[in-house]
Amino acid sequence: FRRLLQTPASADWQLQTAVAFDIDGVLVKGKQTLEAGRRALSILSGNNKHGKRIPFVLLTNGGGVSEAAKAADISSRLGVEIHASQIVLAHSPMQSLVHRYGSQHVLVVGGIKNRCAEIARSYGFTNVSTPNDLVAWKPSLWPFMRAPASDHLSQPVGRDFSEHPFAAVLVFHDSFDFGRDLQVVTDVLRSQDAAAGRPFVRRQTAPLFMSNEDLVFSNEYPLPRFGQGAYHVCLRAMWQALHAGTDAPQLEYSLFGKPHPVQYRYAEGLLDRIAGSVGGMTDFERLRRCRRIYAVGDNPAADIKGANAAGWTSVLVRTGVFAGPPGSNDAVNPAAAVVDHVEDAVNWIVETEA
Ligand code: G3P
Ligand code: MG
């Protein structure tokens, strides 16, 4: 492995180490950029006592934007050039669903306006509708819409949804209208086609894929905020209430997002490609055997649980969801190390790998 590190292309890279950073609560808190985040990425870019660059990716349960847009946003806020190929959003691994549903009519939920539909189309889904589209087509479907001027309404569509049943429901990001999206998704999952007004059936008529089950996350508000997981709880509770006393099965769904293995396999693929591009690696198996991946996060239920299960080394910071006192760790999902903020985390990693 030393041989590979001596090659000029990789001389300044330390490829047997890699870091996956969570974003919200670690590098930023909503619109607030954390100075420790800026310093942490600078350290990994070579400003450390070994002069080594350590490959890193950003592994977030956030989304609702493209990987390129997220990379540009974080680059400008943290002063380090980050590429789309270093970004894992909650919905990034949902690209694997294109081979099954790419040409079928899918409902994509979450985010502002129809931005998630545009992202889904950029992944290869060719027949995408959103709750906006359904309500624009039949406003009475959800009579509690905010004033038409609200910025997340789409333009009325010409499509007649009554003849277009949905093959799957994909929740890409947090809902910006819980009530509407609870109504629309429940309609779709209880009927062959939601908007036709045909009688509901007492079984789930389409698969449901959720991109992030975080009950809470950390932004600039001093206390954790509800995440996409809050929408899941409401959706499951409504399904149960609507089918109380019947033999209707529970709502079934497949989960993406941290702590689920699919997210970590996807991130490892990105790290393999980074190593290949900088180190001219041909021997990924050797790289994989000796590479140690660190995950820095603020949410024990997502970041630490997922990293521990993936065989990575987890580092918990106190700048987000976890608010334990100094010296404490999470009892349910203990991290390998607990530090005050992400700069401490990176310094601990550099020291550990020295
Ligand atoms: O919506 C984003 C939130 O659920 C968590 O984001 O970056 O802390 O994984 P992050
Ligand atoms: Mg976080």
Side-chain angles (χ1 to χ4, degrees):
F1 210 71
R2 283 278 145 227
R3 174 182 57 74
L4 289 168
L5 287 183
Q6 298 322 313
T7 52
S10 64
D12 63 340
W13 286 89
Q14 183 167 317
L15 295 178
Q16 69 268 32
T17 308
V19 181
F21 290 104
D22 174 39
I23 296 180
D24 291 311
V26 174
L27 300 174
V28 304
K29 285 170 73 73
K31 295 183 176 57
Q32 179 195 347
T33 302
L34 301 183
E35 272 310 307
R38 213 190 292 276
R39 293 195 294 270
L41 295 193
S42 169
I43 291 168
L44 287 196
S45 302
N47 298 310
N48 53 68
K49 66 182 184 183
H50 313 294
K52 291 288 185 190
R53 297 178 69 181
I54 296 177
F56 67 86
V57 294
L58 304 187
L59 175 61
T60 175
N61 274 355
V65 292
S66 68
E67 288 79 4
K70 181 62 84 173
D73 174 50
I74 299 295
S75 295
S76 70
R77 294 174 67 176
L78 294 179
V80 173
E81 188 179 356
I82 294 170
H83 299 279
S85 59
Q86 291 174 268
I87 301 288
V88 186
L89 301 173
H91 44 72
S92 298
M94 282 186 161
Q95 297 173 72
S96 63
L97 298 173
V98 170
H99 80 281
R100 172 84 178 77
Y101 299 103
S103 58
Q104 301 195 51
H105 191 202
V106 295
L107 181 71
V108 170
V109 182
I112 288 184
K113 272 195 174 175
N114 283 353
R115 196 179 295 168
C116 285
E118 291 151 21
I119 296 165
R121 293 186 188 105
S122 75
Y123 285 171
F125 293 98
T126 56
N127 188 358
V128 178
S129 295
T130 68
N132 281 339
D133 296 331
L134 279 152
V135 176
W137 177 66
K138 277 194 184 268
S140 59
L141 187 153
W142 178 247
F144 308 108
M145 281 308 286
R146 284 174 289 188
S150 72
D151 68 0
H152 70 290
L153 260 186
S154 66
Q155 299 309 316
V157 290
R159 170 172 274 186
D160 174 349
F161 283 98
S162 57
E163 298 309 321
H164 292 274
F166 288 96
V169 176
L170 285 68
V171 183
F172 259 45
H173 190 49
D174 300 82
S175 167
F176 278 61
D177 190 330
F178 254 46
R180 181 202 61 196
D181 293 349
L182 285 174
Q183 177 72 75
V184 170
V185 170
T186 305
D187 281 347
V188 168
L189 295 179
R190 294 175 78 204
S191 73
Q192 289 304 325
D193 43 64
R198 290 203 181 98
F200 289 130
V201 295
R202 278 214 305 265
R203 57 178 175 76
Q204 190 171 337
T205 61
L208 171 61
F209 300 94
M210 315 288 271
S211 67
N212 159 6
E213 62 176 338
D214 286 350
L215 284 180
V216 294
F217 76 101
S218 175
N219 69 356
E220 60 270 48
Y221 191 79
L223 296 171
R225 302 295 79 201
F226 286 172
Q228 191 186 134
Y231 176 74
H232 299 190
V233 170
C234 296
L235 196 62
R236 288 198 302 268
M238 270 308 285
W239 184 269
Q240 204 152 356
L242 289 166
H243 295 104
T246 73
D247 60 355
Q250 293 290 326
L251 187 60
E252 291 183 353
Y253 49 92
S254 304
L255 279 165
F256 288 73
K258 298 172 289 185
H260 301 286
V262 60
Q263 234 60 20
Y264 295 84
R265 300 294 82 83
Y266 187 94
E268 286 173 351
L270 295 189
L271 287 167
D272 287 350
R273 281 193 284 283
I274 292 169
S277 67
V278 297
M281 285 286 187
T282 53
D283 184 352
F284 281 128
E285 284 321 306
R286 280 182 68 198
L287 169 72
R288 283 219 177 109
R289 267 199 307 278
C290 66
R291 177 172 64 188
R292 192 206 301 261
I293 303 177
Y294 292 85
V296 184
D298 70 300
N299 185 344
D303 304 300
I304 307 308
K305 179 178 179 183
N308 292 348
W312 294 6
T313 303
S314 55
V315 186
L316 179 60
V317 295
R318 287 196 183 84
T319 47
V321 167
F322 179 72
S328 68
N329 200 335
D330 184 67
V332 178
N333 297 297
V338 184
V339 294
D340 287 339
H341 51 66
V342 65
E343 182 183 10
D344 286 348
V346 166
N347 285 328
W348 180 78
I349 292 167
V350 170
E351 280 312 305
T352 305
E353 291 292 324

